[in-house]
Amino acid sequence: MNKTAFIAIVGCPNVGKSSILNALLGEKIAIVSPKPQTTRTRIMGVMTEGNRQFVFTDTPGMHRPRTKLGEHMARAIRDGMDGVDACLLVTEAVGNGLREQEQKLLQDFKRQGMPVILALNKIDLLKSREDLAVRIAQFSAECDFVAVVPVSATSGKNMPVLRDELYSLFEALPLDEGFFFPEDTLTDQPERVLAAELLREQLLRNLEQEIPHGTAVVIEKMRMREGREDLMDIEATIFCERETHKGMIIGKQGAMLKKISTSARHSLERFLDCKVNLQCWVKVKQDWRNREGLIRNFGLDT
């Protein structure tokens, strides 16, 4: 019988939730960067194998909201955990004790009786097995996990083990019959949203710490060139909050914007499997992260 399990991927910022989702799917649908709070909205990824369908929800990192956008991100976490069959809690293998947000998550899991798998990511950064054992003990003392799996999403180490644990959990869950999505579905995200995210990924990778969090990307145009089946024209607007930020994004004689656009174009060509003509503009919208109308217009209210 075909069945579907809904799994929320949760955890603090910058622990590798999106990297784990991409590794599980074998495809890149969620952007990643070394900066925290890369994910802003819920991103759904679908993995169908045999009679099993997993619908993963990648949620923003747990943090204290400081802006209206932050409040929307916090709501996306709550919504992402609502009605799921189980959770995949991601944390770093390197660390000392539990963060406040992680403790709150574990308390919620206990109260709901939620089945949880713990993924200890970034094991390639560990200095010793003893450190890993201490880390596992710290979390296991707070929750009775279905399984605890040390992994490295970037190298792929132990990712097959994590999949096997997800399969075992799937068989134990009381699931309704039927697939929720067609078998060939990879994500619920429209191409325009994914294209905007691939461009924002390059903003995160190339700009200074504070600037990327004040940027949003809107795809204004995305269509195949008339008379061409191998060339897509994409026009994008990058919004930022200050004139000084606009200057930094563009760079001296346009060098930074050209670097960002070129890297984004390469990512888009791999994703769309065609040539891409990418045109980017930069505009200022003062304090847009605290303006509900602009957050809605940018598609960040879900």
Side-chain angles (χ1 to χ4, degrees):
M1 292 183 295
N2 295 337
K3 294 183 179 181
T4 302
F6 291 83
I7 312 289
I9 304 177
V10 296
C12 291
N14 209 32
V15 295
K17 298 183 298 297
S18 296
S19 296
I20 281 184
L21 174 61
N22 291 337
L24 285 169
L25 298 179
E27 296 283 349
K28 182 174 180 175
I29 67 163
I31 66 171
V32 296
S33 84
K35 295 182 174 67
Q37 298 173 28
T38 298
T39 301
R40 284 176 169 170
T41 61
R42 285 176 294 153
I43 298 173
M44 197 169 285
V46 184
M47 181 176 74
T48 305
E49 294 187 358
N51 67 340
R52 307 183 189 102
Q53 183 172 90
F54 291 89
V55 179
F56 296 104
T57 302
D58 181 20
T59 60
M62 299 282 292
H63 66 287
R64 291 181 179 176
R66 294 185 175 88
T67 63
K68 290 288 185 182
L69 176 61
E71 293 173 7
H72 281 283
M73 291 166 65
R75 194 175 307 127
I77 299 168
R78 294 193 298 271
D79 292 346
M81 292 176 59
D82 186 32
V84 298
D85 299 299
C87 283
L88 175 60
L89 173 61
V90 181
T91 190
E92 292 177 316
V94 178
N96 183 24
L98 281 68
R99 303 183 199 182
E100 179 184 349
Q101 296 95 328
E102 291 169 333
Q103 291 174 332
K104 288 181 178 179
L105 272 176
L106 293 178
Q107 290 170 5
D108 289 341
F109 296 153
K110 287 180 182 178
R111 187 169 58 253
Q112 299 170 23
M114 178 74 68
V116 185
I117 292 177
L118 175 65
L120 292 159
N121 193 27
K122 306 182 185 180
I123 56 173
D124 43 315
L125 302 180
L126 281 168
K127 294 181 179 179
S128 70
R129 290 179 178 271
E130 289 74 17
D131 291 343
L132 177 60
V134 169
R135 192 76 169 139
I136 292 173
Q138 289 170 344
F139 275 85
S140 297
E142 300 295 329
C143 182
D144 185 16
F145 295 104
V146 172
V148 177
V149 187
V151 299
S152 171
T154 53
S155 72
K157 187 172 183 179
N158 285 352
M159 287 303 299
V161 178
L162 180 57
R163 285 193 189 89
D164 288 343
E165 292 295 351
L166 285 165
Y167 297 154
S168 297
L169 173 61
F170 185 99
E171 299 303 329
L173 290 171
L175 303 173
D176 294 331
E177 293 182 29
F179 286 160
F180 192 82
F181 289 100
E183 292 184 41
D184 60 349
T185 301
L186 183 64
T187 180
D188 66 336
Q189 300 293 300
E191 277 192 348
R192 277 179 178 254
V193 173
L194 291 171
E197 285 290 272
L198 288 172
L199 177 51
R200 189 168 69 88
E201 180 179 45
Q202 296 308 318
L203 292 167
L204 286 161
R205 290 180 176 275
N206 287 283
L207 295 172
E208 293 300 323
Q209 189 71 25
E210 287 304 315
I211 299 173
H213 295 300
T215 60
V217 176
V218 174
I219 302 298
E220 310 288 357
K221 172 185 173 182
M222 187 175 180
R223 64 171 68 106
M224 298 303 295
R225 178 82 59 88
E226 188 174 350
R228 294 278 301 269
E229 296 182 356
D230 63 339
L231 177 62
M232 180 172 286
D233 289 314
I234 299 177
E235 296 179 4
T237 301
I238 300 166
F239 292 95
C240 59
E241 293 184 307
R242 300 177 185 175
E243 287 290 342
T244 53
H245 289 178
K246 178 180 178 180
M248 294 176 188
I249 293 169
I250 295 173
K252 189 175 181 180
Q253 296 181 334
M256 178 56 72
L257 184 59
K258 181 178 180 181
K259 180 181 179 182
I260 289 168
S261 300
T262 299
S263 297
R265 178 173 57 80
H266 292 156
S267 295
L268 285 163
E269 288 178 340
R270 288 192 295 270
F271 170 65
L272 297 167
D273 196 25
C274 68
K275 293 291 184 182
V276 170
N277 172 40
L278 177 63
Q279 301 293 323
C280 296
W281 288 268
V282 185
K283 295 182 180 180
V284 177
K285 292 289 184 182
Q286 293 284 346
D287 197 31
W288 69 261
R289 284 180 290 179
N290 281 308
R291 297 166 67 180
E292 289 284 357
L294 289 176
I295 291 172
R296 272 195 307 276
N297 290 342
F298 296 161
L300 301 173
D301 59 337
T302 56

